[in-house]
Amino acid sequence: MAEMVEARGTEPRGGDAAFGALDPRALLAMGPAQGDRLAAWRVALGVAVPSLALLAIGRPDLVIYAVFGAFVGMYGRNEPHQLRIIHQGQAAVLLVGGTVLGIGLAAAHVGPWTLVAFEALVASVVSMVADKYKLKPGGPFFCIFALGACASVPLAVPWWCAALICLGSALVAVLVGFAGWMGSRGWVPGAVRPVEPAISPAILVHALRYLLAVGTAGAAGMLMGIGHPYWAMAAGAVPLAAETLGARIVRGIHRVLGTLAGVGVTALILLPQPPIMVLGLAVVVLQFPSELFMTRHYGLALVFFTPLILVMTYLASPMDPGILMVDRAVETVIGATAGVLVAVCIREPRPAGPVVR
């Protein structure tokens, strides 16, 4: 959602001016409204349909695969239907692909260090794809989050069944996003989304940032012996999705503060030990406010997105809620710190100057 702001700075990505212009007031500023309610309803409906179907047949443990597929609905939120369906199709390749890779790694019972190395590599590759096709939300966050989460959850069904749940959920999200076209029937022959013609040095540098931030965060989480290192890896990717260095620092702070507040909300949900069906419904309900605030104030969105993810994880693999919440808080601090440090240390490549003869 993680995990989802579309930064709209006008400065070159990561430039020194952004660092110097960092304003603490940016931590509290709300971005302009941009059709947020309609977009939030679309995403919430895309999550609700497959999730409620799984709850109805008594399989809340499989909701995690449906939710990751439904995250496709977050892409192309303000584009015309014709371009949105293309955008969401491109995103579906990455999200469903990441989920299926995670399912495969779970079936293969790979070791945690192998997962860290593999996820860092995937983050760098998906970063290049996301930049080339100008996906929004930008970056590899959702892909690697799905990969890490699904690789860390024991498979309760055959791998192909989990993969089909994700694929079917993604299809539902795309259909929901396109449904409004029935009212307008507007179609422009040959319309396409913009694509970068080549992998530029800036795109390569950005992919390197993801490789280092995700790999460092995951390794730190492993060395500290915390139970969910993929949360640190996902948090490491979050700051890098913003367009400027100043925005990346703000985004990292939002990630930490919003997650800590969200852990508090999670305690109110999990500690009373409500029925499993209530927890499944909470996942569906929390999706709407998560998406509602995602592009306006990332930290506020995380107050709702964090309990969504934690409850979903608990349903897939029940454990002590206290440990679950502590892991999330600590891993987030580790990952966000790694992401911000990489953003500060690795700047944009300078454009080549004129050749002097």
Side-chain angles (χ1 to χ4, degrees), residues 52-275:
L52 292 176
L54 290 170
L55 293 175
I57 64 173
R59 295 307 302 262
D61 56 319
L62 303 180
V63 167
I64 187 172
Y65 305 115
V67 171
F68 281 127
F71 280 172
V72 167
M74 295 185 294
Y75 290 79
R77 57 186 288 155
N78 293 319
E79 291 181 334
H81 295 97
Q82 180 179 358
L83 297 183
R84 181 185 300 143
I85 196 171
I86 297 172
H87 198 160
Q88 292 182 345
Q90 294 166 339
V93 174
L94 299 183
L95 268 70
V96 176
T99 302
V100 172
L101 284 174
I103 293 168
L105 293 174
H109 303 288
V110 300
W113 282 106
T114 301
L115 175 59
V116 169
F118 187 77
E119 190 164 341
L121 179 61
V122 170
S124 65
V125 173
V126 174
S127 169
M128 290 188 283
V129 175
D131 284 351
K132 179 175 177 62
Y133 289 93
K134 300 181 182 295
L135 299 186
K136 293 292 182 180
F141 171 80
F142 289 108
C143 176
I144 64 170
F145 191 27
L147 189 161
C150 293
S152 303
V153 172
L155 275 174
V157 292
W159 71 267
W160 55 266
C161 183
L164 284 177
I165 290 171
C166 178
L167 180 61
S169 182
L171 179 60
V172 169
V174 171
L175 291 176
V176 168
F178 190 68
W181 179 80
M182 298 300 294
S184 64
R185 302 295 182 94
W187 194 270
V188 180
V192 295
R193 297 190 65 252
V195 177
E196 290 289 339
I199 301 297
S200 66
I203 290 177
L204 291 174
V205 168
H206 204 41
L208 175 63
R209 290 192 192 102
Y210 278 109
L211 177 68
L212 294 176
V214 173
T216 300
M222 286 296 301
L223 292 173
M224 293 181 67
I226 305 172
H228 296 80
Y230 72 89
W231 281 340
M233 290 187 280
V238 166
L240 303 178
E243 293 291 329
T244 66
L245 179 55
R248 289 170 185 162
I249 296 171
V250 169
R251 189 175 169 91
I253 297 172
H254 275 174
R255 180 70 181 188
V256 173
L257 297 181
T259 296
L260 294 178
V263 167
V265 175
T266 306
L268 298 177
I269 297 172
L270 287 181
L271 294 184
Q273 299 182 328

Side-chain angles (χ1 to χ4, degrees), residues 253-331:
I253 297 172
H254 275 174
R255 180 70 181 188
V256 173
L257 297 181
T259 296
L260 294 178
V263 167
V265 175
T266 306
L268 298 177
I269 297 172
L270 287 181
L271 294 184
Q273 299 182 328
I276 293 298
M277 183 62 69
V278 172
L279 294 178
L281 292 174
V283 171
V284 174
V285 171
L286 287 165
Q287 180 61 63
F288 178 80
S290 297
E291 184 64 17
L292 181 65
F293 295 110
M294 196 55 70
T295 61
R296 300 196 66 188
H297 194 287
Y298 185 59
L300 181 57
L302 285 173
V303 175
F304 304 99
F305 185 70
T306 298
L308 184 159
I309 295 301
L310 289 177
V311 172
M312 182 179 75
T313 303
Y314 180 83
L315 290 173
S317 182
M319 62 177 297
D320 184 333
I323 296 175
L324 189 72
M325 291 184 287
V326 170
D327 283 357
R328 178 70 172 188
V330 176
E331 296 278 10

